[in-house]
Amino acid sequence: MSTVSTTRAPARAVRTTDPRPRKSKRRQVRERQWPAYVFLSPWMIGAVVLTLVPMAVSLYLSFTDYNLFDPPHWVGLRNYREMLTEDPRYWRSVGTTTLYVVVAVPLKLGLALGVAMLLKSLSRGRGFYRSAFYAPSLLGASMSIALVWKALFNDGGTVANVLDTVGIHTGGWVGNPHLAVYGVVLLTVWQFGAPMVIFLAGLQQISPDLYEAAALDGAGRWRQFMSITVPMLSPVVFFNLVLEVINSFQVFTPAFAISGGDGGPADSTMFYTLYLYERGFTASHMGYAAAMAWLLLIAIGAITLILFRTSRSWVFYADEEGR
């Protein structure tokens, strides 16, 4: 009896093809990103409508003669040429603003750092004092506080009376061409709360082990401050410096309130933005004011770029060697 052996051929895998076309990787990325664009669209629309379009219009107006009532008339570079070569009040406003920035920014940052170091050493009541010192930063930018400040430094005001009692006869600062700008400086320095809070946060990130090791090596307080605090805090110092410089070049409310809007006495408080306001809305030379605004933007951008370039030599980042 014979047996018939049968061999079964191995089954072949049936290849099934997806009739749907495969999406490209770029299309898949776009499909994942569209919700982000939907949520960002209010900001993007606001940036275009409220920022980019007005900037483009002001750039155009800076090359025109425009008085807010008649259609703008193209004059080319005449506004810029008049500003730089024929307007002494423009250069006076530049000098006043520069003096203000050079004096106010270091004083404000120095006071903010000093108070932050005192608060760091407190064991109790740190939250209360931090809020109390921060409050002027919330109130100081208002017109009402600026008017109160003007009354304090006016002739017969509290500051003049206090100085008279100790034998310093300065009179009212507001009416003195040599002291009026320093009244605005003191108002700015009084608002040191915002950089103080940032300094305090930076100080709390410095490890106490560094100070302990320096003390064991015989380093005193001043040596610890210069060798540990300043290098470790330099990124925070740089951040506050950039913000304060940008904000100081745009100071307006204190100068307007203390001078009554005319930059007096003798243009001693004629800050750049105040003169811009006067030319644009008082004298109705909006084209000239637009040109001033663009030069201010260029100047702030150049100064900010210089600060970033020079920061490589004095700003220390712990996570980057050779910095």
Side-chain angles (χ1 to χ4, degrees):
M1 188 173 182
S2 61
T3 60
V4 179
S5 61
T6 61
T7 60
R8 181 175 297 176
R12 293 183 178 181
V14 180
R15 180 179 295 177
T16 60
T17 58
D18 190 354
R20 295 174 299 178
R22 180 176 295 179
K23 296 180 181 179
S24 64
K25 184 177 294 185
R26 183 176 300 179
R27 184 178 178 183
Q28 293 177 4
V29 171
R30 285 201 301 264
E31 289 183 354
R32 290 196 300 266
Q33 289 179 344
W34 74 263
Y37 289 110
V38 171
F39 286 105
L40 287 173
S41 59
W43 179 89
M44 297 173 66
I45 295 173
V48 172
V49 175
L50 301 178
T51 303
L52 297 181
V53 172
M55 287 181 65
V57 173
S58 69
L59 180 61
Y60 166 74
L61 292 178
S62 69
F63 297 101
T64 65
D65 182 11
Y66 181 49
N67 61 5
L68 295 175
F69 303 102
D70 299 323
H73 174 65
W74 183 267
V75 295
L77 296 174
R78 190 182 75 182
N79 289 328
Y80 294 93
R81 184 171 58 252
E82 177 184 350
M83 188 187 315
L84 298 176
T85 61
E86 304 175 10
D87 190 353
R89 296 191 74 198
Y90 170 80
W91 288 109
R92 196 174 299 122
S93 69
V94 171
T96 302
T97 305
T98 303
L99 173 64
Y100 166 81
V101 174
V102 170
V103 176
V105 172
L107 289 178
K108 185 176 183 179
L109 294 183
L111 181 60
L113 178 57
V115 175
M117 295 182 66
L118 291 176
L119 290 181
K120 182 177 179 293
S121 62
L122 290 179
S123 58
R124 295 182 180 179
R126 182 185 302 174
F128 169 77
Y129 288 109
R130 181 174 55 191
S131 301
F133 285 123
Y134 184 74
S137 295
L138 301 176
L139 304 175
S142 65
M143 180 64 73
S144 58
I145 296 297
L147 292 175
V148 172
W149 202 265
K150 178 181 179 180
L152 291 174
F153 285 87
N154 212 337
D155 190 13
T158 303
V159 174
N161 294 333
V162 171
L163 293 177
D164 286 340
T165 58
V166 295
I168 302 176
H169 305 287
T170 60
W173 290 32
V174 174
N176 190 329
H178 302 290
L179 297 176
V181 65
Y182 296 104
V184 184
V185 168
L186 290 179
L187 176 56
T188 301
V189 174
W190 178 65
Q191 305 169 39
F192 66 89
M196 178 209 68
V197 172
I198 299 175
F199 277 135
L200 182 59
L203 288 171
Q204 292 174 343
Q205 299 302 316
I206 302 176
S207 175
D209 297 338
L210 297 176
Y211 295 103
E212 294 177 2
L216 291 176
D217 290 338
R221 292 293 183 88
W222 177 252
R223 186 63 180 175
Q224 292 178 24
F225 175 76
M226 295 302 298
S227 300
I228 299 176
T229 305
V230 173
M232 298 299 294
L233 203 62
S234 57
V236 181
V237 174
F238 175 67
F239 176 78
N240 278 331
L241 177 63
V242 171
L243 290 185
E244 292 301 326
V245 167
I246 293 174
N247 292 333
S248 296
F249 272 104
Q250 303 175 71
V251 62
F252 175 78
T253 303
F256 184 88
I258 291 178
S259 69
D262 59 359
D267 284 347
S268 60
T269 57
M270 181 58 74
F271 288 84
Y272 194 99
T273 53
L274 184 58
Y275 187 49
L276 188 154
Y277 171 84
E278 179 184 295
R279 292 304 301 264
F281 295 96
T282 303
S284 297
H285 293 165
M286 188 56 67
Y288 192 94
M292 287 186 62
W294 275 96
L295 282 186
L296 178 62
L297 176 63
I298 294 172
I300 292 177
I303 293 173
T304 304
L305 179 61
I306 293 173
L307 290 176
F308 271 91
R309 290 296 179 87
T310 57
S311 68
R312 299 175 180 176
S313 61
W314 62 274
V315 178
F316 171 76
Y317 294 94
D319 57 346
E320 295 183 15
E321 295 186 1
R323 183 80 182 204

